[in-house]
Structures are given as C-alpha cells and as structure tokens.
Amino acid sequence: MTTDTSTGATGLSGHVHRLTSRVRAADARHPWLWDALPALVWTVAALVDASGGWRTTALDPTVPGWAVVTLSLALSLPLYGRRRHPVAMLAVMACAACASAASGAFLQSSYLQLLPLFHLALVRPTRDLLWAPALLLPPLLTGAVLHPRGGWDQHAVPALWAYALVALLGVTVRSRRDHTAALVDRARRLETERDQEVRLAAAAERTRIAREMHDIVGHHLSVVTGLADGGRYAAARNPERAAQALDAIGTTSREALAELRRLLGVLHDGPEADRAPQPTLADLDTLVTGVRKAGLPVRFDLRAGPAAPPLAPGAQLTVYRIVQESLTNTLKHAGEGARATVALSHTAHEVRVEVTDTDGAAPPPAGPRHPGRGLTGMRERAALYDGTLDSGPLPTGGWRTVLRLPREDSPS
C-alpha cells in the first residue's frame, strides 16, 4: 500500500511538474498573455463587486456608483504591468486605495495590492521593498483616522500581516529560483569542464601514442635501412656478411612488430594484452648493439656517481627513448663516416645523458636541422619529468643532444 501511495504521489508530482513547465514555456513565448489574463479576471471581479456587493463592507454606502466603478478600475487595471513596473503599479493602486478608504467605500479590490507587492519582492532587489510601507500605510492610516471602527490595531494590523507574509513569500520564491539557477549554471559549467578535460585527456593520449609509434617505428626502420644498405654493399664481396645483415634485419623487424603488438594490445586493454615491461636503462646496451649492427659506430660511456635511488620506470623509459631517437637521427642524417657517443652520468641530484655524433669529413651545416616530430617528442618526454633537453649543431660539424632529468627526491 505504501509503494502504491508513493507511486501515485510521484505520478501526480510528475504531472504537476510537466504542467508548470508548459505554463512557464507559454509565459516565455507570450508574456503579455500572462500579464493580461489576471488583470482581466480581477477587473471583471472588481466590476461585479462595484455593482452592489461593495456595500456589505462599506462604512459609507452613499458613495456614488461612478466613483466606485472608477476606483475599482484603478485598483484592477494596473495589474497588467505588475511584473514589469511593480513599484509604479503599486503606487497607482495605493492612491486608489487611499481614495477608497477616505470615501468610506473600503472596496475589497484594495487587497489586489498584494499582487504587485509579491512581484516587487520577486523581481526587484530587497532594498526596493522599502518603498512598500510608504505606499501601503497611507490607505490604512486614512481609513483608521477618517472612519474609525473599533481599535486601530483591528483595522491595520491584519492588513500589515498580510502584506508582510506576501513580501516574505516573494523573497522566498526569488531565493529558491536564484538558487536553482545557480545550481543549473554550476552543473552546466561542470559539464563543460568535464568535456574539456575529456578532450584534453584524449589529445594527451593521442600525443603519447604518436610519440611511442614514432620512436618505435622510426628507430627500427632506420636500423633496418642501415642494415639493408650495408648488406647490399657486402653482397658482392662478402656473401657471409650479407647473410648476417639479413639476419639482423629479420631480428630488428621482429622486435619492431613485437613492440607494436604490445602497444596496440595495451590500447585495446583486453585480457590478452601483452604486459611486457617497457625498456629501462638496462636495455641501453642492447639498443647500442643494434645500432652498431646497422653500421653506426657507437661508444657507450657510463659514469656512475654517488649512490642514489634508481629512476622511476617512466623516467628510465624517457632516457631510453631519447637515446633511441638521437641515434636514429644520427643514422638518418649524419651520413657515411659518422660516429656517435652516448654518455650517461648519475649524480645525487640528476641524471645527465649526452648523445653526440660527428659527421666525419662533412663540413659544418649551414643552418640548424629542421626540428621535426622527433625533437618535439623528445622535449615533451623531458618536460613530463621536469627535465630539460638541449639539442643543436656542433661548430665542428655534427649534432649534440643533452638531457637532464632531476631525481624525484631532489627539488625541481
């Protein structure tokens, strides 16, 4: 029974909510209709009362009929502008109410002043309510002085309580409406911020994926290209070396495919995704060995400093990828006779990596190399761990890339 009752109440409240929503929508489309309809209804009611019913409450029933009709219209017609100009309409109605009280007619349409008072409290700042007592008290005082009936409090206090309650109701409705509007605006802003965060996260993820794909594919293809060029030159003179180059090409290609499969598997995030660890500093020897097989002489210099905690896995991957990209650029751009040096040093505050290549007999370049996607990706990787990356040509020819990564336990 309780469930049925609650269900019925919920259905009724839903119907009421939909009805009020339709009324608000109609009011927004045709505000003049909602202004004119109450004014017309109360004007008809005031004229009906002016036909003779007003004498039941009047203290002076000898007031001329034309005066009663005029005062009734003056108390009802201003309702048309109650929402747009509540203070002005209340002033007009207060004058008519004052004349009604002075004549002794005491028309019941004087209570229509409650409507513009409500809209004054609803749409205007609270300080504008100070005008209300100056407009509502004179009719009460006029009637109490010119036509006393019983005590003064019996004549004025009930009307004052009615005015106060209506003004309080208008302030309450306005506060509720403002609170609801603030909640709707906050929800809209939160939704906008959430959409922006989703787009930013998607853009960051696309950038990360593009960076990983660039490093994996670019490096391995450069190594394969170097091995293929070496194998082509060795094929005529030393078939055994050509076969070794083909073996190295196959090994490098399989490594590239394995890394791509692992990356795509993680993106799919399926249960069968390969969870193999990312490269670390311990894999730099393997990286350098592969580059040497591709035909680029590389000297790897490891300088151990004071005892310090190991880098985080992400920071180790950053060092690995930057060394990989630097050696890849050397394979692609340095030309024949190039040599490279990778110097990795550890200190108590930072890890420093310097990759230097020389262009052999080539003259110094006329201008800096074009900063492609690889250099941008390296800088982005370094910035993720508060690191810095300096890269540029050497005066004697070649290129140098220097990475500095602060340790997590040292200030940035």
Side-chain angles (χ1 to χ4, degrees):
M1 180 64 68
T2 304
T3 305
D4 296 340
T5 303
S6 62
T7 304
T10 303
L12 179 60
S13 63
H15 288 300
V16 172
H17 178 70
R18 286 190 292 270
L19 180 61
T20 53
S21 298
R22 292 175 182 175
V23 171
R24 291 193 186 100
D27 181 30
R29 291 192 301 268
H30 308 289
W32 61 269
L33 181 61
W34 190 244
D35 290 335
L37 185 60
L40 180 62
V41 171
W42 288 113
T43 299
V44 172
L47 292 177
V48 171
D49 184 64
S51 65
W54 63 276
R55 291 186 175 87
T56 60
T57 57
L59 294 182
D60 185 3
T62 62
V63 178
W66 63 266
V68 173
V69 172
T70 302
L71 292 175
S72 298
L73 293 176
L75 287 168
S76 56
L77 289 179
L79 293 179
Y80 181 75
R82 71 191 184 280
R83 295 199 296 179
R84 290 168 294 174
H85 309 289
V87 176
M89 297 301 102
L90 184 60
V92 172
M93 297 174 71
C95 293
C98 191
S100 172
S103 66
F106 289 98
L107 298 177
Q108 297 184 67
S109 53
S110 298
Y111 290 107
L112 293 177
Q113 296 175 97
L114 295 173
L115 294 178
L117 176 62
F118 172 79
H119 285 283
L120 176 61
L122 180 65
V123 302
R124 294 294 185 89
T126 306
R127 63 178 180 271
D128 287 354
L129 283 175
L130 298 177
W131 289 97
L135 297 173
L136 296 173
L137 284 177
L140 298 177
L141 296 177
T142 300
V145 172
L146 297 181
H147 302 279
R149 49 178 178 178
W152 182 88
D153 56 342
Q154 295 179 4
H155 181 79
V157 171
L160 290 176
W161 272 111
Y163 295 152
L165 291 177
V166 168
L168 181 61
L169 177 62
V171 172
T172 303
V173 173
R174 184 187 64 190
S175 300
R176 179 65 179 175
R177 184 186 61 186
D178 293 344
H179 179 67
T180 303
L183 291 179
V184 171
D185 180 67
R186 181 182 178 187
R188 186 181 297 110
R189 287 188 285 107
L190 288 175
E191 184 178 0
T192 302
E193 292 175 1
R194 183 196 63 188
D195 294 341
Q196 291 177 348
E197 290 177 357
V198 169
R199 288 195 294 268
L200 290 175
E205 187 64 15
R206 285 195 299 268
T207 301
R208 187 186 69 83
I209 295 171
R211 191 166 53 230
E212 289 291 331
M213 296 288 289
H214 175 275
D215 292 343
I216 294 173
V217 176
H219 171 73
H220 286 89
L221 285 181
S222 297
V223 172
V224 168
T225 301
L227 291 171
D229 291 341
R232 181 167 57 86
Y233 284 113
R237 301 178 181 178
N238 192 341
E240 183 179 352
R241 292 292 299 274
Q244 293 176 356
L246 291 176
D247 291 338
I249 289 174
T251 301
T252 304
S253 301
R254 283 189 292 272
E255 291 176 356
L257 288 175
E259 289 195 43
L260 285 176
R261 288 194 185 101
R262 185 186 70 243
L263 179 60
L264 295 176
V266 171
L267 291 177
H268 287 298
D269 200 21
E272 71 282 355
D274 188 5
R275 302 297 181 181
Q278 294 282 4
T280 62
L281 297 181
D283 298 307
L284 287 177
D285 285 328
T286 304
L287 173 65
V288 170
T289 301
V291 174
R292 286 172 182 161
K293 291 180 180 180
L296 175 66
V298 182
R299 182 167 63 90
F300 184 36
D301 186 7
L302 177 61
R303 302 169 189 171
L311 287 177
Q316 295 190 45
L317 176 63
T318 295
V319 173
Y320 180 90
R321 292 301 188 199
I322 288 178
V323 172
Q324 182 186 58
E325 179 63 21
S326 299
L327 295 177
T328 300
N329 290 338
T330 302
L331 281 171
K332 292 192 294 185
H333 302 294
E336 297 181 6
R339 307 179 67 85
T341 301
V342 178
L344 174 64
S345 60
H346 296 267
T347 66
H349 301 287
E350 67 176 9
V351 174
R352 186 177 187 275
V353 181
E354 181 176 343
V355 182
T356 307
D357 68 72
T358 56
D359 292 341
R369 292 175 183 170
H370 178 66
R373 177 63 199 166
L375 186 57
T376 301
M378 288 193 290
R379 288 202 173 103
E380 290 174 353
R381 286 184 181 276
L384 288 176
Y385 293 92
D386 293 337
T388 59
L389 185 122
D390 299 322
S391 183
L394 296 172
T396 57
W399 195 268
R400 179 173 59 190
T401 300
V402 180
L403 168 67
R404 293 182 177 87
L405 281 184
R407 293 189 177 274
E408 293 183 355
D409 55 349
S410 62
S412 300

